[in-house]
């Protein structure tokens, strides 16, 4: 993929009324764009992912795969508040010439969509063949399709919801509580909260996977053990792995943004908002997902006009939308027929 940076020099007013003096957007593209924009595939990434879709969706995006550069123009923009190049708490405030850190304003899903719109207008993309998103990426895609229904021909929503549930918010708050217990968290430093982030990620893994996942992948064969279990090692491993590639400030703000997701906010109703979507829509649920249970995707499919719904069986819970590549490939290809 090719990496790009666009800096929007005008102030951006967020949903809260807070103003960012400018916004830098890091985005990636793959393939050649047709003059009529008929081959544009815009992918919205999830919580700790980035714009390099080939790296986190191998087998779906790239040469010889479903979304390939020979046929499609794939674009993915790093989201507002993340730590991979787009404006966020780790970036420099141009008004103070110091990092924002916790002075960064609270961001919502609608603010992320606003920044996607700024980039789209800059690139003069007038039509998007398919908008795709899973989890927090699906929340962005859904909100965008509500705001700009005529822009998208196809919409694919994976493991996502119309509004974030009390269950999901509670998981996110538990993670933020862990971060807040880290004595370094309030430091004005890029390294602030690292130990808290490890714990937060361990908590998150319990929502991304399921009882069955751990039972099959972390079960002990040696019944004589009384400590140092596989499940313990796995939790530490996942925490350490995230800390090496992500920033605690971004994690904090992105979890808050996920909590904010509610398509009915300041609109007539959730049903009315979803009814505005005019793209041909596919909604995909994962059978073992406890964070975004299939009842949420069934609801989406029942409210979005003409939407199709598919449930994919998977051992891997919420992460199934990232790991069940072969099954997703079949489902999406069938959707396009």
């Amino acid at each position: 993929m090719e990496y790009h940076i666009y800096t929007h020099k005008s102030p951006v007013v967020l949903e809260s009324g807070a103003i960012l003096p400018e916004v830098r957007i890091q985005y990636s593209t793959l393939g050649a764009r047709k003059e009529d924009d008929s081959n544009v595939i815009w992918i919205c990434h999830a919580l700790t992912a980035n714009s390099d879709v080939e790296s986190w969706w191998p087998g779906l995006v790239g040469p010889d795969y479903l979304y390939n550069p020979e046929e499609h123009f794939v674009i993915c923009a790093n989201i507002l508040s993340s730590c991979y190049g787009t404006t966020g708490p780790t970036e420099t405030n141009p008004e103070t010439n110091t990092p924002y850190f916790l002075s960064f304003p609270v961001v919502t899903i609608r603010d992320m969509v606003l920044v996607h719109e700024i980039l789209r207008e800059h690139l003069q993309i007038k039509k998007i063949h398919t908008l795709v998103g899973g989890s927090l990426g699906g929340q962005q895609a859904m909100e965008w399709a509500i705001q700009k229904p005529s822009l998208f021909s196809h919409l694919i929503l994976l493991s996502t919801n119309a509004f974030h549930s009390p269950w999901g918010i509670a998981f996110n708050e538990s993670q933020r509580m862990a971060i807040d217990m880290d004595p370094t968290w309030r430091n004005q430093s890029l390294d602030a909260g690292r130990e808290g982030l490890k714990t937060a990620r361990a908590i998150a893994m319990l929502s991304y996977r399921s009882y069955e996942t751990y039972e099959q992948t972390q079960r002990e064969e040696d019944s004589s053990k009384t400590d140092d279990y596989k499940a313990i090692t796995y939790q530490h491993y996942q925490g350490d792995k995230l800390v090496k590639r992500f920033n605690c400030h971004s994690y904090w703000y992105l979890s808050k943004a996920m909590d904010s997701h509610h398509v009915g906010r300041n609109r007539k109703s959730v049903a009315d908002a979803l009814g505005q979507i005019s793209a041909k829509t596919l909604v995909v649920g994962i059978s073992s997902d406890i964070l975004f249970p299939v009842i949420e995707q069934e609801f989406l499919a029942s409210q979005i006009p003409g939407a199709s719904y598919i449930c994919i069986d998977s051992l891997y819970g919420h992460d199934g939308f990232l790991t069940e590549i072969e099954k997703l490939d079949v489902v999406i290809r069938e959707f396009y027929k």
Side-chain angles (χ1 to χ4, degrees):
M1 299 193 81
E2 297 182 3
Y3 298 91
H4 315 269
I5 293 285
Y6 166 62
T7 301
H8 181 72
K9 293 292 188 179
S10 301
V12 175
V13 181
L14 303 179
E15 188 178 2
S16 66
I19 299 174
L20 293 174
E22 65 178 40
V23 172
R24 187 176 73 167
I25 307 169
Q26 188 277 329
Y27 65 101
S28 300
T29 60
L30 180 70
R33 177 179 159 195
K34 293 183 178 179
E35 288 187 9
D36 63 358
D37 289 337
S38 61
N39 68 335
V40 176
I41 309 294
W42 195 303
I43 299 176
C44 298
H45 73 73
L47 188 74
T48 64
N50 53 49
S51 68
D52 184 6
V53 186
E54 284 184 286
S55 70
W56 53 264
W57 242 5
L60 278 183
V61 178
D64 300 322
Y65 296 129
L66 174 63
Y67 296 125
N68 64 80
E70 292 80 19
E71 183 179 354
H72 302 104
F73 176 74
V74 179
I75 179 169
C76 181
N78 186 231
I79 55 178
L80 188 68
S81 291
S82 191
C83 55
Y84 290 116
T86 293
T87 295
T90 63
E91 298 297 321
T92 299
N93 182 343
E95 294 184 337
T96 65
N97 207 33
T98 59
Y100 283 101
F101 294 132
L102 294 178
S103 69
F104 196 71
V106 173
V107 164
T108 68
I109 298 297
R110 293 182 187 178
D111 295 325
M112 295 176 181
V113 170
L114 172 61
V115 172
H116 290 332
E117 262 294 290
I118 288 171
L119 177 60
R120 181 189 69 83
E121 291 179 354
H122 164 69
L123 296 174
Q124 298 183 326
I125 294 175
K126 297 186 172 53
K127 177 169 40 174
I128 294 174
H129 180 275
T130 302
L131 177 63
V132 188
S135 191
L136 183 139
Q139 294 174 340
Q140 298 163 56
M142 188 185 317
E143 180 63 40
W144 201 1
I146 291 168
Q147 292 185 20
K148 299 284 183 179
S150 63
L151 179 61
F152 310 101
S153 299
H154 301 79
L155 174 66
I156 301 176
L157 303 173
L158 313 167
S159 303
T160 193
N161 49 21
F163 50 88
H164 210 43
S165 67
W167 173 253
I169 293 169
F171 261 115
N172 285 341
E173 180 61 16
S174 297
Q175 294 173 63
R176 291 189 294 265
M177 289 168 67
I179 291 170
D180 209 32
M181 291 297 292
D182 187 325
T184 71
W185 169 230
R186 303 291 169 178
N187 294 351
Q188 298 290 298
S189 167
L190 290 173
D191 291 331
R194 287 171 62 87
E195 291 302 315
L197 180 58
K198 289 181 184 179
T199 304
R201 187 61 165 186
I203 294 170
M205 290 308 300
L206 300 177
S207 68
Y208 297 158
R209 301 298 171 88
S210 68
Y211 177 94
E212 290 77 13
T213 313
Y214 279 81
E215 182 68 14
Q216 292 200 31
T217 63
Q218 305 304 319
R219 186 173 189 162
E220 298 291 344
E221 300 300 328
D222 181 3
S223 62
S224 67
K225 292 185 72 171
T226 59
D227 202 351
D228 195 29
Y229 301 105
K230 290 181 182 178
I232 292 175
T233 302
Y234 181 74
Q235 295 302 93
H236 283 276
Y237 164 75
Q238 289 293 344
D240 289 336
K241 187 170 71 168
L242 183 70
V243 166
K244 290 175 182 177
R245 69 174 181 86
F246 212 72
N247 180 269
C248 191
H249 297 90
S250 287
Y251 199 86
W252 177 280
Y253 277 92
L254 292 176
S255 72
K256 285 282 191 180
M258 179 176 276
D259 290 353
S260 79
H261 174 61
H262 198 303
V263 299
R265 185 170 59 253
N266 297 323
R267 294 178 174 137
K268 184 178 178 181
S269 67
V270 170
D272 185 72
L274 294 174
Q276 302 304 309
I277 296 174
S278 62
K280 180 181 179 183
T281 302
L282 171 65
V283 182
V284 178
I286 302 297
S287 62
S288 54
D289 192 341
I290 64 170
L291 183 57
F292 291 75
V294 295
I295 191 173
E296 295 188 329
Q297 291 86 61
E298 291 169 353
F299 174 77
L300 291 175
S302 73
Q303 300 299 313
I304 297 172
S308 300
Y309 169 69
I310 294 290
C311 180
I312 290 177
D313 286 329
S314 174
L315 172 65
Y316 293 100
H318 184 61
D319 278 351
F321 86 93
L322 295 170
T323 62
E324 299 293 351
I325 300 300
E326 292 182 4
K327 293 179 181 178
L328 284 171
D329 182 270
V330 171
V331 165
I332 295 173
R333 289 182 189 275
E334 185 66 26
F335 168 65
Y336 283 130
K337 289 182 179 178

